[in-house]
Amino acid sequence: MRAVLKAGHWQLHADRHRIHLTPVARRSCPDCRGAGGWWVGGPFPEMEACGCWSERHELRIRLLPLPAPADEPPF
C-alpha cells in the first residue's frame, strides 16, 4: 500500500519501506507564482529553479529494509 499527501508546502510519499517528504513550490511566491521556476533565454534555454522550494532539503525516513534482489545471495 502506498499513500501520497500534499500538505502545505510539502508532498508526502509513504509506503512500508520509507516516508519521503519533498518540498513543492509555494503558490503565493512573488517570483515564480507557484510554477517552481522560470526559463532562462539563450540558444539552449534552461529552467532556473526558484528558491521557494529548491533551497529546502528532502527528508527521508527508512522504516523497513528493502528486499534483496532475487539473483543475489541473502548474505
Side-chain angles (χ1 to χ4, degrees):
M1 186 166 146
R2 183 178 178 156
V4 177
L5 174 69
K6 194 171 181 182
H9 305 298
W10 294 92
Q11 187 169 13
L12 170 78
H13 296 273
D15 59 25
R16 58 187 271 184
H17 298 289
R18 73 189 68 78
I19 297 172
H20 188 187
L21 290 166
T22 309
V24 294
R26 294 185 345 232
R27 287 184 275 174
S28 63
C29 177
D31 296 328
C32 71
R33 296 182 185 93
W38 50 88
W39 290 98
V40 179
F44 303 106
E46 294 183 0
M47 181 145 188
E48 177 90 23
C50 184
C52 71
W53 69 272
S54 67
E55 294 174 359
R56 293 186 286 164
H57 298 287
E58 294 181 353
L59 303 172
R60 294 181 191 164
I61 302 170
R62 291 186 70 165
L63 300 176
L64 292 174
L66 295 173
D71 62 338
E72 294 183 13
F75 299 106

